[in-house]
């Protein structure tokens, strides 16, 4: 009888833990969304931009499934030019940066979307490097 009660209580604990985990994960937002999902965002806007010759590197943002995401984009980018575009984020107000999504411009002129944060120390920027050695980034946002 004691074994049955113990087994019953362990089963209840396990089921309760699993149910709690599944509810929590279902409501959590994705940290990164694909480029196809970025394209599906209807309310795209530009947060920051930096001119480079006849084109711009832009930090764009918009809402997907109730979560705000940001991504890097090249606007008016010449198709015969090579380089790289990426998104960086910082959790210490820009003292250090982490590359979050990077693409060769021969593949795409924009990156995946990365979830933004309401933390005042979390900032993002879009960057570009072309065939020359210069690196251009937008201001942090």
């Amino acid at each position: 009888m004691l074994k049955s009660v113990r087994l019953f209580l362990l089963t209840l604990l396990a089921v309760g833990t699993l149910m709690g985990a599944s509810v929590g994960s279902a409501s959590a937002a994705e940290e990164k969304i694909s480029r196809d999902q970025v394209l599906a965002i209807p309310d795209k806007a530009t947060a920051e931009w930096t001119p480079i010759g006849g084109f711009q590197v832009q930090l764009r943002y918009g809402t997907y499934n109730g979560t705000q995401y940001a991504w890097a984009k090249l606007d008016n980018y010449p198709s015969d030019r090579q380089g790289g575009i990426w998104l960086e984020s910082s959790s210490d107000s820009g003292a250090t940066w982490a590359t979050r999504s990077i693409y060769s411009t021969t593949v795409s002129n924009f990156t995946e979307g990365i979830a933004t944060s309401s933390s005042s120390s979390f900032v993002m920027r879009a960057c570009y490097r072309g065939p020359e050695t210069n690196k251009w980034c937008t201001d942090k946002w």
Side-chain angles (χ1 to χ4, degrees):
M1 173 74 173
L2 187 55
K3 273 186 174 179
S4 305
V5 170
R6 190 177 301 157
L7 181 60
F8 177 73
L9 290 175
L10 287 173
T11 303
L12 281 178
L13 179 62
V15 168
T17 301
L18 288 175
M19 288 179 67
S22 66
V23 169
S25 63
S27 62
E30 297 176 60
E31 181 192 2
K32 184 185 275 189
I33 58 172
S34 72
R35 291 180 15 248
D36 287 339
Q37 291 167 313
V38 166
L39 286 174
I41 294 174
D43 65 339
K44 298 175 186 79
T46 302
E48 297 288 341
W49 62 275
T50 298
I52 307 166
F55 64 98
Q56 298 175 358
V57 60
Q58 299 178 341
L59 178 62
R60 309 264 303 164
Y61 67 95
T63 304
Y64 183 80
N65 284 345
T67 299
Q68 186 180 65
Y69 292 90
W71 60 94
K73 181 182 185 294
L74 292 172
D75 193 40
N76 296 321
Y77 189 74
S79 60
D80 61 343
R81 187 176 171 105
Q82 295 185 0
I85 177 111
W86 67 94
L87 181 67
E88 294 181 342
S89 69
S90 172
S91 57
D92 56 13
S93 301
T96 59
W97 292 95
T99 300
R100 303 296 303 276
S101 179
I102 186 167
Y103 276 89
S104 165
T105 56
T106 59
V107 175
S108 178
N109 69 338
F110 67 101
T111 67
E112 294 121 339
I114 303 297
T116 62
S117 171
S118 60
S119 169
S120 61
S121 61
F122 184 85
V123 292
M124 302 175 105
R125 67 184 181 184
C127 298
Y128 163 80
R129 181 172 306 209
E132 61 284 321
T133 58
N134 293 343
K135 170 184 172 182
W136 288 276
C137 294
T138 63
D139 287 339
K140 61 186 179 184
W141 174 73

